[in-house]
Amino acid sequence: DAGVTQSPTHLIKTRGQHVTLRCSPISGHKSVSWYQQVLGQGPQFIFQYYEKEERGRGNFPDRFSARQFPNYSSELNVNALLLGDSALYLCASSLYPDRVSEAFFGQGTRLTVV
Amino acid sequence: GESVGLHLPTLSVQEGDNSIINCAYSNSASDYFIWYKQESGKGPQFIIDIRSNMDKRQGQRVTVLLNKTVKHLSLQIAATQPGDSAVYFCAENPPFPGNTPLVFGKGTRLSVIA
């Protein structure tokens, strides 16, 4: 059974551009969360989705948005990229949103903004 | 999570010795605490969790201790092996109706000397 898969694995973008990151959860998992991990720090929560509805949002600007599709996969979109958006973006999936200890993380998308 | 510098605290241990990694958490009402291991280029991997109504939990070669009085969590790894070299994060699950499923700590880099 495949784990959480994220694409692309690496990405280089220019300041001001837009980026879309994708996440496919473990089969059967209905909840997806997104985290940003800046080099040398712990992951920081961005969004959580469950059954296509936003369940939670972290302290990130409106340039960050996400959605979840009927097959439970998810996209994270970031507009007007800044240098400070360079980070590893992690997706985690779980059966339900409150089953945090049962969440599995993907390998992440490494975004570099130049 | 808190904003920290680029340099993670580092713990170096000899192969075969026991390792103790410490973490301070912020919310006294958090219900769940989880330890993650993150290897280079990978997402966080679940190690062990503990509920707030417990003070100790053991797994295979790992033990987590919870001291709610001082809001302190520790991870003990017995007979540390080279494969244990990684960054270790603690995370807490703040209580509902908070919208953040996991708040990660600062991380500790464990280096095992063969």
Side-chain angles (χ1 to χ4, degrees), chain A residues 9 54 76 85 98:
Chain A
T9 53
E54 182 183 301
L76 175 70
D85 295 330
D98 59 341

Side-chain angles (χ1 to χ4, degrees), chain A:
Chain A
D1 191 16
V4 178
T5 56
Q6 294 186 242
S7 63
T9 53
H10 296 83
L11 199 54
I12 300 175
K13 289 286 191 176
T14 304
R15 276 177 297 176
Q17 284 189 313
H18 161 270
V19 69
T20 297
L21 310 180
R22 295 178 174 84
C23 172
S24 292
I26 289 172
S27 178
H29 282 192
K30 302 177 182 179
S31 180
V32 169
S33 298
W34 288 95
Y35 292 81
Q36 180 196 65
Q37 186 175 23
V38 174
L39 190 65
Q41 298 185 24
Q44 189 170 1
F45 172 70
I46 310 175
F47 286 109
Q48 184 181 54
Y49 276 78
Y50 175 65
E51 295 281 14
K52 297 177 290 178
E53 298 287 327
E54 182 183 301
R55 282 273 302 215
R57 183 186 185 115
N59 188 24
F60 280 81
D62 291 343
R63 299 185 296 107
F64 288 76
S65 63
R67 55 180 176 167
Q68 186 177 33
F69 299 98
N71 66 354
Y72 304 112
S73 67
S74 178
E75 282 183 355
L76 175 70
N77 295 283
V78 187
N79 293 322
L81 285 165
L82 303 174
L83 295 179
D85 295 330
S86 295
L88 180 68
Y89 288 84
L90 295 162
C91 173
S93 79
S94 59
L95 192 57
Y96 300 109
D98 59 341
R99 301 274 187 95
V100 290
S101 65
E102 298 169 9
F104 290 84
F105 283 84
Q107 290 196 294
T109 294
R110 172 71 63 187
L111 172 65
T112 302
V113 182
V114 296

Side-chain angles (χ1 to χ4, degrees), chain B residues 11 19-23 35 63 72-77 84 86-90 107-110:
Chain B
L11 174 67
S19 303
I20 300 176
I21 300 171
N22 297 303
C23 173
W35 280 100
T63 300
H72 183 267
L73 201 62
S74 70
L75 176 71
Q76 301 176 3
I77 304 173
D84 295 326
V87 178
Y88 289 80
F89 292 98
C90 67
T108 297
R109 184 180 303 281
L110 176 65

Side-chain angles (χ1 to χ4, degrees), chain B residues 14-28:
Chain B
Q14 291 285 342
E15 181 179 358
D17 286 353
N18 296 334
S19 303
I20 300 176
I21 300 171
N22 297 303
C23 173
Y25 63 91
S26 57
N27 192 328
S28 58

Side-chain angles (χ1 to χ4, degrees), chain B residues 4 8 11 13 22 26 29 38 50 52 67 70 75-76 80-81 92 94 96 100 104 109:
Chain B
V4 297
L8 288 169
L11 174 67
V13 298
N22 297 303
S26 57
Q38 188 173 25
I50 187 168
S52 59
N67 185 331
V70 294
L75 176 71
Q76 301 176 3
T80 312
Q81 302 168 0
E92 59 184 299
F96 186 83
T100 301
F104 283 80
R109 184 180 303 281

